[in-house]
Amino acid sequence: MNVLICDDEPVFLQQLQEHVGRYLEERGISAHLDTATDPRQVLERQIPYTLAFLDIQMEGMDGISLARELKRRNGKVALFFVTAYREYQDEAMDLHAFRFFDKPFDPQRLYAGLDKAMEYIDGAYVDVFVYNQQAQVRLLVDDILYVTRENRRVVVATQTQRYLTGERLDVWEEKLPNLFFYPVHKSFLVNLHYVAKYAYSEVYLADGERIPVAPRRQAAFHKYWFEYLRRR
């Protein structure tokens, strides 16, 4: 997990760094913590951050503009704004910020906000043990197109890569949110966000790939599909 603290006031930056670092250490959370006093430094790094603490009024670029850039890199980034200027609160809330901290900030409120952010991050990401690389990777749930069984292994497919994992398909069905992942077939669990066309017996992804809907699941999926469309 990549964490960013960006504040052009070194005193507040150091305080946040100490408290956030202590929080991560106490909870055994593995993370890379970056700091910056100039938002332009952040732009140069091109890192997709998972969690970010941003001052709003900074020289060179304001925190709201920087937050929009971080959202472009990772739409699920958890944002915290730290500022003494209340007039920016509405803009911060428009970006779905977790907390808006006044300076000087309250450490207890900071830890409570981090607890909420960790719950959100746990729901937005999923850990995958990649069988052929013997490595653990963390994927955004929304990046997964589908999960499928191939022979004795299960493949997790994203838009850019396929991950071979040893976990069973029913384990993935429990891991992934059933609000938009559906087991259309005994060998396929599909992310409906990527379905471009539905034809009762099969679904088509945006890239044209066709995935069958098992005959015994067609009636249930038909009902579920229109419930899904109604919720969107």
Side-chain angles (χ1 to χ4, degrees):
M1 180 169 71
N2 293 312
V3 180
L4 170 68
I5 301 172
C6 186
D7 194 318
D8 62 357
E9 296 184 73
V11 172
F12 289 114
L13 187 146
Q14 184 178 353
Q15 288 177 358
L16 265 176
Q17 184 179 6
E18 290 173 357
H19 284 293
V20 173
R22 186 179 303 126
Y23 175 93
L24 295 171
E25 183 179 357
E26 288 176 355
R27 284 158 176 76
I29 299 171
S30 178
H32 176 73
L33 182 56
D34 276 344
T35 62
T37 54
D38 186 338
R40 290 168 293 193
Q41 296 172 317
V42 180
L43 298 181
E44 292 170 1
R45 291 172 189 162
Q46 289 298 317
I47 296 172
Y49 289 101
T50 310
L51 174 65
F53 293 83
L54 307 176
D55 188 13
I56 288 187
Q57 279 212 333
M58 295 182 286
E59 290 187 14
M61 184 181 197
D62 64 85
I64 298 293
S65 298
L66 179 58
R68 291 195 179 101
E69 168 59 20
L70 297 183
K71 278 274 189 182
R72 186 192 63 78
R73 297 180 191 178
N74 174 12
K76 297 295 184 180
V77 60
L79 295 170
F80 290 79
F81 289 99
V82 186
T83 185
Y85 298 92
R86 280 286 182 177
E87 63 266 29
Y88 294 96
Q89 188 164 359
D90 288 344
E91 288 182 89
M93 292 303 105
D94 286 343
L95 289 163
H96 306 291
F98 270 84
R99 288 288 188 276
F100 191 97
F101 293 107
D102 292 323
K103 290 182 177 180
F105 64 89
D106 177 359
Q108 288 188 330
R109 190 163 179 260
L110 170 67
Y111 296 150
L114 278 167
D115 283 340
K116 289 291 184 184
M118 291 305 131
E119 290 177 14
Y120 164 77
I121 289 167
D122 283 345
Y125 293 82
V126 64
D127 291 320
V128 182
F129 181 78
V130 184
Y131 179 77
N132 52 338
Q133 296 176 19
Q134 294 293 301
Q136 193 89 1
V137 298
R138 173 161 276 204
L139 300 178
L140 265 173
V141 168
D142 281 349
D143 285 348
I144 298 173
L145 301 178
Y146 58 83
V147 184
T148 183
R149 184 186 294 114
E150 293 184 359
N151 299 320
R152 292 178 176 237
R153 295 292 172 190
V154 167
V155 173
V156 178
T158 70
Q159 289 181 304
T160 58
Q161 200 162 346
R162 288 164 60 86
Y163 298 92
L164 187 64
T165 175
E167 292 179 306
R168 301 188 314 271
L169 193 64
D170 61 338
V171 173
W172 281 100
E173 192 172 343
E174 291 178 6
K175 272 188 180 187
L176 297 172
N178 60 15
L179 280 174
F180 54 93
F181 276 90
Y182 195 92
V184 296
H185 189 281
K186 67 179 181 180
S187 297
F188 275 100
L189 181 63
V190 178
N191 185 345
L192 301 187
H193 291 170
Y194 291 96
V195 173
K197 180 182 175 183
Y198 163 53
Y200 201 77
S201 62
E202 55 192 358
V203 294
Y204 296 74
L205 302 186
D207 63 0
E209 186 171 0
R210 298 191 302 176
I211 295 175
V213 181
R216 66 184 183 86
R217 302 188 184 193
Q218 287 173 3
F221 179 65
H222 185 76
K223 180 180 179 181
Y224 184 92
W225 172 253
F226 286 101
E227 281 294 314
Y228 164 77
L229 292 180
R230 185 183 60 80
R231 291 196 306 268
R232 295 196 72 182

